[in-house]
Amino acid sequence: MEEIFIKRKQFKNKTLHIVKKNITLLIITLVLSIIVSFTNIYLISLEKNIANAILLKNKDLFIEIFTMILSIMLAKIFLEYFKAYLLGKFSENVLRDIRNDIGKKLINMNISYIEKNTTGDYISRLSNDLSLIQGFLSNSLNDLLYHPITFILGIILAISINWKLTLFCFAIIPISIILALIISKPVEKYTKRQQEALSDVNSVAQDSISGITLVKVFNLEKELFNKYEKELIKSFKSGLNSARFEVLSEPIKIMIQIIPFVLMFFYGGNLVLKGELTLGGIIAFIELINVFLAPMNVLPNVINSYRKAKSSSERIEELLNQEDEKGRDVKEEKVSNYDIEFENIYFSYDEKEILKGISFKVKRGEKVAIVGESGSGKSTIIKLILGLYKPQKGKIKIFGVDIKDWDLSALREKISVANQDIYLFPESIKENIRYGNYNAKDEDIISATKNSLAYDFIIENIGFERDWRKRNFNIG
């Protein structure tokens, strides 16, 4: 429980840090929302006054109020534009910073967590989950800033017109709020299930594309499609359940829209007949009813959007709270008879023990072959040498320095690895080679390819400058 609390607190601090960087935009947007809300309520008050002026046949007062209405509406257009622009900029800035933090986290986090999840899961978090958060920031946040302020100002105006009619019309609102909260609650649960199912769908698709050769060779098309279809059905059912609960909120919206108008006309008409309310007042109340209903209409959508965004943020929270790789400050090797020393190393993945009491030493210039069956720990030894994993027990020295003391970037600069499974970045061959040494000049790259007997192959088939993918050429 304590660990969960710490993780949530860390994520909260990171999120607040992102918001604080853009807090000026949010404050200005809030101020503009207050001004726009006041403007809309003031326009309703002017509508009441212009209706009464017409009944009184006061031409001068009518022209004066009409001019004011035109001027305010013109100013409102510009206010609405700047409010929408600044809110959009705020939401995009926040999303950009979240994506930036996720990008940094994915590059710097411990490889142990990365290997526990599929590529499709990360793609889902970067696409589907962020899309739901973007929907809340871009749309629902605007409703959250604007409608409460307008609602409060509308109540003040309504009470000033006639407090009896105000109380009468508000009788339905508490019940509507409770029903909206109850109906929207299951949406969060089913949205989280849907996002997790979509992650599994993406994972199956990613695996099918990455291993397309094996899929074809072993005739796995049917099996993989059945697996893909199964995950897709799970996602569909979760989405359907979520949509069902969203649809249930529609009748409530209709009820909220109709009943207050019926009550207002019934009771307000009696007040006009008794002389307690003017015709301008009842016209203004028609507009105010819309002001009161607007928050009730958008409330279910705002709650649903918030719950979806909250569900998605929890998945991103898990990612952002993973620990980064940690090294120390040693960047130079020490004089030693051995480049690699393993002393009584124990290592396991979760509860599966891979290495048990392994000890060996490798001298400089010595060639060593590590042979063993699949899963015996050959690749794990390489990952331990690179500092990608830490042993649970024992001591590793690389170039005479305890691996715990190495600056991991400096250590890896001194080691070359030729993996069994190659990966080329979607760039030119020259840029892929340059990743080995960012300071390498073009002539250094050409020299390296000649020394590795790859120069003629590259010139004849791909070329150094062009993106290798655009040549429709497979590299093995």
Side-chain angles (χ1 to χ4, degrees), residues 214-355:
L214 292 177
V215 172
K216 298 289 185 183
V217 170
F218 292 100
N219 294 320
L220 299 175
E221 293 92 342
K222 184 177 179 180
E223 286 74 10
L224 282 175
F225 178 75
N226 289 339
K227 186 177 179 181
Y228 179 83
E229 191 176 37
K230 181 181 177 182
E231 298 299 338
L232 200 60
I233 290 172
K234 285 170 59 179
S235 172
F236 170 76
K237 288 181 177 179
S238 297
L240 193 62
N241 286 329
S242 178
R244 185 179 67 195
F245 282 101
E246 288 186 19
V247 169
L248 283 175
S249 65
E250 291 302 317
I252 296 177
K253 290 182 183 179
I254 295 172
M255 180 183 69
I256 294 172
Q257 290 172 350
I258 294 175
I259 292 180
F261 278 103
V262 174
L263 295 174
M264 188 274 295
F265 278 117
F266 174 78
Y267 189 65
N270 280 284
L271 292 177
V272 172
L273 293 175
K274 292 178 181 179
E276 297 181 24
L277 185 68
T278 65
L279 183 61
I282 202 168
I283 290 174
F285 233 95
I286 294 174
E287 293 293 330
L288 285 172
I289 289 295
N290 289 324
V291 170
F292 299 147
L293 289 177
M296 297 302 102
N297 290 334
V298 302
L299 180 63
N301 293 332
V302 170
I303 295 173
N304 289 343
S305 179
Y306 166 74
R307 292 189 185 278
K308 289 179 178 181
K310 180 175 177 289
S311 177
S312 294
S313 69
E314 288 175 356
R315 284 164 47 80
I316 293 175
E317 172 185 349
E318 179 190 353
L319 184 64
L320 290 176
N321 281 303
Q322 297 305 312
E323 290 186 359
D324 291 342
E325 280 189 324
K326 292 181 180 179
R328 294 186 179 175
D329 56 357
V330 175
K331 296 184 178 181
E332 297 297 333
E333 55 191 84
K334 293 181 180 180
V335 178
S336 175
N337 293 328
Y338 301 97
D339 280 351
I340 301 173
E341 300 175 61
F342 272 51
E343 300 177 10
N344 196 32
I345 295 299
Y346 286 78
F347 180 82
S348 61
Y349 294 105
D350 294 329
E351 297 181 355
K352 184 180 179 182
E353 193 171 56
I354 304 297
L355 302 178

Side-chain angles (χ1 to χ4, degrees), residues 172-212:
I172 193 65
I173 290 177
I175 300 174
S176 303
I177 293 175
I178 293 171
L179 290 175
L181 288 171
I182 292 173
I183 286 183
S184 66
K185 190 171 181 61
V187 172
E188 179 181 353
K189 178 178 69 175
Y190 287 112
T191 297
K192 188 172 184 178
R193 290 181 182 177
Q194 184 184 22
Q195 293 306 110
E196 291 173 349
L198 283 173
S199 175
D200 293 335
V201 169
N202 289 336
S203 297
V204 175
Q206 174 76 22
D207 294 340
S208 300
I209 295 170
S210 300
I212 190 64

Side-chain angles (χ1 to χ4, degrees), residues 17-35:
H17 177 68
I18 291 174
V19 172
K20 284 178 181 178
K21 288 198 297 184
N22 303 281
I23 194 67
T24 303
L25 290 173
L26 187 61
I27 291 173
I28 295 174
T29 303
L30 179 61
V31 171
L32 289 176
S33 294
I34 294 172
I35 295 173

Side-chain angles (χ1 to χ4, degrees), residues 30-161:
L30 179 61
V31 171
L32 289 176
S33 294
I34 294 172
I35 295 173
V36 169
S37 298
F38 179 80
T39 301
N40 287 334
I41 298 302
Y42 188 59
L43 282 172
I44 294 175
S45 177
L46 290 178
E47 288 177 14
K48 175 179 74 74
N49 294 336
I50 200 170
N52 291 332
I54 292 172
L55 290 175
L56 295 173
K57 297 182 180 181
N58 190 330
K59 184 177 180 180
D60 293 335
L61 182 60
F62 170 80
I63 293 174
E64 180 184 348
I65 297 174
F66 185 75
T67 304
M68 290 178 63
I69 291 174
L70 288 179
S71 301
I72 292 173
M73 290 181 68
L74 184 63
K76 181 188 167 187
I77 293 173
F78 290 99
L79 289 171
E80 291 276 12
Y81 169 78
F82 284 115
K83 180 172 78 81
Y85 170 76
L86 291 174
L87 181 60
K89 188 175 181 180
F90 167 78
S91 63
E92 290 300 324
N93 285 356
V94 169
L95 286 168
R96 177 201 63 200
D97 293 338
I98 291 176
R99 288 190 180 100
N100 188 47
D101 283 358
I102 291 175
K104 288 180 181 178
K105 180 59 67 175
L106 286 174
I107 292 173
N108 295 313
M109 73 166 56
N110 287 322
I111 195 172
S112 58
Y113 178 79
I114 295 177
E115 292 185 342
K116 285 180 182 178
N117 298 281
T118 62
T119 304
D121 180 66
Y122 294 119
I123 292 174
S124 179
R125 298 188 198 210
L126 285 166
S127 56
N128 299 330
D129 290 323
L130 280 180
S131 177
L132 291 175
I133 294 174
Q134 183 177 25
F136 174 75
L137 292 176
S138 301
N139 301 315
S140 299
L141 184 59
N142 176 56
D143 294 330
L144 208 55
L145 292 175
Y146 170 75
H147 287 293
I149 300 169
T150 308
F151 187 80
I152 293 171
L153 293 175
I155 291 176
I156 294 173
L157 179 59
I159 292 174
S160 68
I161 294 173

